[in-house]
Amino acid sequence: MDEEVRGEDFRERLKERRRGKVDIRIGKKGVTESLLEEVRRRLEKQGVVKVKVLKSARAEPGFNREEFAEEVARAVGGVLREVKGYTFIIVKKDR
C-alpha cells in the first residue's frame, strides 16, 4: 500500500477524498468491465478514487473487504491506499 504518487498536490487530493463523498459505488451487479473503466478514467484524471462496496455487492459468504479492494485496485492498475469499513481509496501508480 505504500508505493504511491508523491507530492504536495497529491497529498491535498488524498486529504480531500478522505473527507469527501464517494466517487464510485459497487452495487448488486458487482465488478463489471464498465465499472472498472470508470474507475480507470477517474484515476487517470484525478489520481485518487474513493470506492464504496454496497451491502448488495458483499452478499456472498466469505466476502473479504481487503482482498476485494486489492483485486479492484490491481484490475485498474492502481495502488490500494486505505480501507475503512467497506470504503477504500485507490491511488494512481507513480510512473
Side-chain angles (χ1 to χ4, degrees):
M1 276 197 225
D2 287 326
E3 58 178 283
E4 67 210 34
V5 181
R6 306 260 184 232
E8 194 61 38
D9 185 44
F10 169 74
R11 286 189 202 99
E12 286 301 314
R13 284 184 285 161
L14 183 59
K15 206 183 286 186
E16 180 183 311
R17 288 286 27 105
R18 282 183 178 142
R19 290 187 307 249
K21 294 181 181 178
V22 173
D23 293 314
I24 305 282
R25 289 172 182 77
I26 301 176
K28 62 185 170 186
K29 290 183 181 178
V31 179
T32 62
E33 190 54 42
S34 61
L35 179 122
L36 293 175
E37 276 303 312
E38 180 64 16
V39 175
R40 281 186 202 106
R41 187 182 68 75
R42 288 180 184 235
L43 197 57
E44 189 61 37
K45 184 176 181 183
Q46 301 169 352
V48 181
V49 180
K50 188 173 181 179
V51 181
K52 181 173 181 122
V53 183
L54 301 178
K55 192 174 183 177
S56 57
R58 54 184 195 252
E60 77 178 56
F63 177 83
N64 183 306
R65 60 195 173 130
E66 288 87 8
E67 288 176 11
F68 184 85
E70 191 65 52
E71 287 175 25
V72 172
R74 196 173 313 117
V76 298
V79 177
L80 181 62
R81 172 72 177 150
E82 178 179 294
V83 178
K84 282 193 175 182
Y86 293 101
T87 303
F88 55 95
I89 296 177
I90 300 173
V91 297
K92 187 176 174 180
K93 279 188 179 179
D94 192 10
R95 295 184 199 267

